Amino acid sequence: PGPRKEAAPPGEQEDLPLPTVNAKVAVTGGKVTFWHEDGRSTQMTLDARCTVDALDRPIAFEATVGGIGAIAAKGEVTVARAGRLDLDRLHGPVGLAMSDVSLAKLLPVVSAFAPLSRFDGTLNGRADYELTSMMSARGGASLEVRGLDVEGAALPQPVKLDLEKAKEYLKAA
């Protein structure tokens, strides 16, 4: 055997050509179940489609979630630039439409992030944004929540909101 090639140092990518990828993926009739700690659960339906012609071309996708109202997502993302995979700079337009989404049915999901015992109301609206990287986006939303009713555990310390600092932060962003 010849000399062994060492991997690129952490944080650096090797200059490897993009693999050729051409795929059409569909999920139909999918079911996703989330459990709340008190034993309640929410079951959602999932249908999704994705088309990949090449990694350096936009990857089109659409998905619908049901069983909680309706959430539809549609968009396209680009995952490579200049012949190299670049997930850190993933980008593309994405739109979400929400119709009669039951917040109560989302309690098992939301309570993973906030200690809520009640989360009720109905969400309708639309969000359109542009992904600018794996973890950032810019855009806007128009949302309406009817009958909002939220109850959660007490926070360990009082929450103090400094509106002046918030204004400064928003101006800088």
Side-chain angles (χ1 to χ4, degrees):
R4 188 173 168 175
K5 183 177 178 185
E6 292 188 34
E12 291 184 23
Q13 293 181 352
E14 295 182 40
D15 286 329
L16 299 175
L18 280 175
T20 301
V21 177
N22 188 300
K24 290 185 188 235
V25 178
V27 174
T28 56
K31 292 183 181 175
V32 179
T33 303
F34 290 95
W35 293 91
H36 189 267
E37 62 188 22
D38 67 4
R40 289 181 286 170
S41 67
T42 293
Q43 189 171 71
M44 298 179 225
T45 59
L46 174 66
D47 291 291
R49 288 178 177 45
C50 172
T51 302
V52 182
D53 292 322
L55 293 178
D56 56 355
R57 292 190 192 144
I59 298 170
F61 68 89
E62 59 183 64
T64 57
V65 175
I68 57 168
I71 300 175
K74 186 174 184 175
E76 55 184 42
V77 294
T78 302
V79 299
R81 292 179 191 221
R84 292 180 60 176
L85 197 59
D86 192 357
L87 294 177
D88 291 336
R89 291 174 46 190
L90 171 136
H91 64 281
V94 176
L96 288 172
M98 294 141 288
S99 177
D100 294 324
V101 175
S102 167
L103 299 181
K105 290 184 178 183
L106 291 177
L107 178 63
V109 177
V110 174
S111 63
F113 304 98
L116 299 179
S117 56
R118 184 171 54 242
F119 188 53
D120 205 357
T122 304
L123 172 67
N124 287 285
R126 176 151 191 91
D128 292 291
Y129 53 96
E130 177 83 19
L131 291 173
T132 55
S133 75
M134 181 72 92
M135 298 301 289
S136 71
R138 65 175 158 242
S142 175
L143 304 173
E144 174 194 35
V145 178
R146 292 186 315 263
L148 181 64
D149 186 7
V150 179
E151 183 177 299
L155 297 172
Q157 298 178 27
V159 174
K160 188 174 173 182
L161 179 61
D162 185 332
L163 293 178
E164 291 306 314
K165 283 187 180 178
K167 286 179 188 175
E168 290 174 25
Y169 175 79
L170 292 172
K171 284 181 186 177

